[in-house]
Amino acid sequence: MSAFTALPLTKPMIKNLETLGYQKMTPVQARSLPHVLKGEDLLAQAKTGSGKTAAFGVGLLHNLNVKHFRVQALVMCPTRELAEQVAGELRRIARFKHNIKIVTICGGVPFLPQQISLEHQGHIVVGTPGRIEQHLKRGTMNLDHVTTLVLDEADRMLDIGFADSIEVIMGYVPKTHQTLLFSATFPKPILDLSTRFQRNAHRVAVDVEHEQNVIRQYFYESGWEWKPVVAAQILDIYKPASALIFCNTKLQCKSLSTFLETKGFSSLAIHGDLEQKDRTEILVRFSNGSTPILVATDVAARGLDISGLSAVINFDLPFEPEVYIHRIGRTGRAGKEGMAFSLITPKERFRLEEINTLMGTAFEVSDIKTLEPATQESATPPMVTFSINGGRKTKLRPGDILGALTKDAGIDGGCVGKINCFEFYSYVAIERTMADKAEKALSKNKIKGRHFIVHRHE
Ligand code: AMP
C-alpha cells in the first residue's frame, strides 16, 4: 500500500485524511485515484469495505471548484442506506475545505425539502436513480455543470431495476464528463453500460482472496417446522457477536425474530414493510453492536453496508446458488474467519448440490444431533442504543452528543460507541454498564443548551 502523499493532493486534503486515520491508500484507492484525479474514466471492481468511497471521493472533492455553486458531481447509489453512507464519508473527506455542500436525494422521503436543498445549490448530489430522475423531470434539479458522474454498486442498481432511470439521467448530464463505474461483479449488463457510457475506461480489479477459504460453512438438515429451534441452537452454541439471518419471506423474518426474542436473543427483523425511519433505526442498532441478530430478506439486505459479520445464517436457502455466495460473502472479510450456516429441509437437498457445483465444493449435510441442545442463557448485547430527536438539520452533531456524555455527565469516552447523526434524528450506542447513567444524563441535562427527547432501545 502506498501513501496518499504520493498523489498530487493539497496539504489540507492530506492532513484531513491523516486526521481520519487514513495513513495509506487501500489497494482500490492506490489503483483508482491516479486516474480519477486526471479526469479519466474508470471501471473498477470494488466491494463495500474496500475503501471505494474514498477511491472516487478524494478525487472528485480534489477536482471540485468550491466557489462555483453548481452541482459538479453526481453519485448514484442503489439504496438510500448506501447513499447516506457515501454522503457521510464524502462529508468527512470534504472537511479539508469550508463550505462544500453535499446533498442527498433519495426515494422514500418527502420531495419538498429535497427541492429546497437543491435550490440552494449543492456541489455534490448523492442519491438513488429513481428520485434523481423525478427531480430532473420536474425541473427541480440541474445537472448542466456536472463534470463527474459516479455509478456506485452498479451491479446492484441494475439488479434493482434502475437501468432505465440511469439512462434518463445520462441524458441530462453534459456530453463530456468523467464516468466512474464501481461494481462488485462484472456481468454482461455492466460491461454494456461501460461500453455505452464510458470512453477508454481504465479497468481496475483488486485481487480478492477466495472468500470460501476464510468462511467455515455448515449445512444442517432440519424439518421445516424445526428450523427456528435449530437456528436458536446455532446461535446459542456458536454465540456469534453479529449474525445476519436470511429468510425468503418477510412473514418468516417477523416470526423468526419474534421466536428468537422469546428464547432470550436480542434480534430485529428488517423487511420491505417498514417505514424508512424504523429501517434506519434497526440498521443503526445492528451495526453499533446493541442488537447482535438481524433477520432479513435478500431484498431488505440489499445495499446494507454490513460486512465483516461473525456469522450468516441461511434460515431458508436462496433459490439461486449465486445468491448463496453473495450472502455468505458478508462474513469472513478482511482476513477474519467467518461462519455460514444453512438449514436445509430434505426436499431442498438439490440446492446444496447446485451450490457445490457452482463453487466446486463438496459440502455435505450434517446431522442436527451434532449440535448440542440450546440450554445456556444467551449473552446480553454489550451495547445499548439511545435515540435523540435532533440531527444535522437541527445542528446537532456527533461531537455535541459525545461532549454531553463525557464532559457533562463524566462518562468515559471509551464507553461511548458509534454515534450516527441523520437529518432529524441521532443515535448513540453506550456500553451497557454505563447505560443507566447515560440515560439520566441525556434525558435530564441539556445537550448544546437544548432539551431533547431521548429513548432507550432494548
Ligand atoms: P468503503 O469501502 O468506502 O465503504 O470504506 C470502508 C471503510 O474504510 C470506511 O469506514 C472508511 O472510512 C475506511 N477507509 C477508507 N479509506 C481508508 C484508508 N485509506 N485507510 C483507512 N481507512 C479507510
Side-chain angles (χ1 to χ4, degrees):
M1 287 206 283
S2 43
F4 283 99
T5 43
L7 298 172
L9 297 170
T10 61
K11 272 205 182 121
M13 170 70 93
I14 303 256
K15 196 151 180 277
N16 181 50
L17 290 172
E18 270 168 20
T19 317
L20 295 176
Y22 299 5
Q23 306 290 350
K24 288 190 173 147
M25 288 190 264
T26 65
V28 68
Q29 291 164 356
R31 304 220 17 223
S32 305
L33 277 169
H35 300 295
V36 179
L37 286 165
K38 279 192 226 155
E40 295 165 349
D41 282 3
L42 192 76
L43 177 61
Q45 181 178 29
K47 291 184 177 184
T48 296
S50 60
K52 68 179 164 67
T53 316
F56 61 80
V58 168
L60 61 87
L61 284 158
H62 174 89
N63 292 340
L64 205 71
N65 178 355
V66 184
K67 291 195 187 119
H68 184 48
F69 289 100
R70 292 286 180 272
V71 179
Q72 296 164 50
L74 174 68
V75 183
M76 288 188 248
C77 301
T79 64
R80 182 177 173 200
E81 277 85 23
L82 193 71
E84 297 278 3
Q85 279 153 25
V86 167
E89 174 79 347
L90 292 179
R91 285 192 184 102
R92 280 190 288 277
I93 302 170
R95 283 188 203 142
F96 77 101
K97 210 172 220 166
H98 287 300
N99 287 330
I100 297 182
K101 201 173 156 209
I102 298 165
V103 184
T104 50
I105 298 294
C106 299
V109 290
F111 202 88
L112 197 63
Q114 296 182 341
Q115 188 175 333
I116 294 166
S117 289
L118 288 167
E119 276 163 15
H120 291 97
Q121 296 289 356
H123 295 102
I124 300 176
V125 169
V126 185
T128 47
R131 182 59 68 93
I132 293 171
E133 181 188 1
Q134 282 178 325
H135 276 282
L136 289 168
K137 286 185 168 163
R138 290 195 198 184
T140 44
M141 186 194 284
N142 184 308
L143 299 180
D144 289 350
H145 298 265
V146 163
T147 52
T148 306
L149 195 74
V150 182
L151 295 162
D152 193 13
E153 303 211 355
D155 49 355
R156 285 203 203 162
M157 286 203 279
L158 296 188
D159 281 352
I160 294 174
F162 279 140
D164 291 344
S165 298
I166 293 173
E167 180 97 36
V168 172
I169 294 164
M170 291 292 192
Y172 283 86
V173 178
K175 266 218 159 69
T176 39
H177 67 262
Q178 175 185 34
T179 308
L180 308 173
L181 201 155
F182 285 78
S183 190
T185 56
F186 281 96
K188 191 164 176 297
I190 293 293
L191 298 174
D192 291 346
L193 198 69
S194 168
T195 316
R196 291 195 49 209
F197 296 114
Q198 296 195 295
R199 268 160 300 139
N200 306 325
H202 292 272
R203 286 182 78 152
V204 166
V206 180
D207 273 348
V208 204
E209 272 192 29
H210 262 98
E211 286 180 354
Q212 293 100 294
N213 295 346
V214 285
I215 304 171
R216 281 187 282 144
Q217 298 173 60
Y218 304 90
F219 297 85
Y220 291 105
E221 191 166 275
S222 161
W224 184 81
E225 68 281 22
W226 288 105
K227 282 208 238 172
V229 177
V230 177
Q233 279 177 233
I234 291 170
L235 291 168
D236 203 4
I237 291 159
Y238 290 92
K239 294 198 171 28
S242 54
L244 181 57
I245 307 184
F246 286 98
C247 298
N248 288 349
T249 66
K250 48 192 169 195
L251 251 179
Q252 187 63 68
C253 287
K254 285 185 214 171
S255 79
L256 178 63
S257 177
T258 311
F259 174 81
L260 292 175
E261 284 282 328
T262 63
K263 291 282 168 199
F265 296 97
S266 175
S267 94
L268 290 166
I270 190 159
H271 47 78
D273 287 350
L274 293 169
E275 296 272 326
Q276 190 58 50
K277 183 167 171 277
D278 295 331
R279 203 177 143 81
T280 307
E281 185 184 302
I282 287 171
L283 288 182
V284 165
R285 289 172 63 186
F286 183 62
S287 63
N288 71 15
S290 63
T291 302
I293 301 164
L294 186 65
V295 189
T297 55
D298 286 304
V299 175
R302 234 178 227 161
L304 303 188
D305 177 23
I306 305 172
S307 58
L309 292 169
S310 317
V312 164
I313 302 178
N314 293 301
F315 183 84
D316 295 315
L317 269 186
F319 301 121
E320 307 285 341
E322 288 84 1
V323 178
Y324 172 83
I325 299 180
H326 197 239
R327 284 184 183 179
I328 68 167
R330 291 177 181 269
T331 177
R333 292 230 180 131
K336 274 194 276 172
E337 194 171 84
M339 294 181 286
F341 303 92
S342 300
L343 310 187
I344 307 186
T345 62
K347 276 190 193 159
E348 285 175 326
R349 268 183 173 247
F350 74 96
R351 295 235 159 93
L352 174 56
E353 297 313 317
E354 289 176 347
I355 291 169
N356 277 332
T357 308
L358 183 70
M359 293 175 52
T361 48
F363 290 114
E364 289 181 10
V365 282
S366 310
D367 195 329
I368 41 170
K369 290 196 194 98
T370 56
L371 280 168
E372 302 286 319
T375 47
Q376 295 148 295
E377 241 181 68
S378 329
T380 325
M383 309 297 279
V384 175
T385 298
F386 292 91
S387 61
I388 302 165
N389 70 332
R392 283 203 316 273
K393 288 269 160 152
T394 53
K395 304 266 179 265
L396 188 68
R397 292 175 206 286
D400 304 327
I401 300 171
L402 186 64
L405 289 162
T406 54
K407 284 192 209 121
D408 305 350
I411 293 172
D412 188 297
C415 299
V416 182
K418 257 194 180 175
I419 302 177
N420 300 84
C421 287
F422 295 93
E423 286 193 338
F424 299 104
Y425 272 87
S426 299
Y427 299 89
V428 53
I430 311 278
E431 268 186 23
R432 188 164 289 274
T433 47
M434 282 292 140
D436 290 341
K437 192 170 178 188
E439 187 171 6
K440 268 191 208 138
L442 289 174
S443 347
K444 295 218 174 104
N445 303 349
K446 291 180 177 177
I447 309 175
K448 219 182 170 187
R450 284 179 285 159
H451 277 295
F452 289 94
I453 301 171
V454 175
H455 279 296
R456 177 174 177 150
H457 300 271
E458 299 256 27

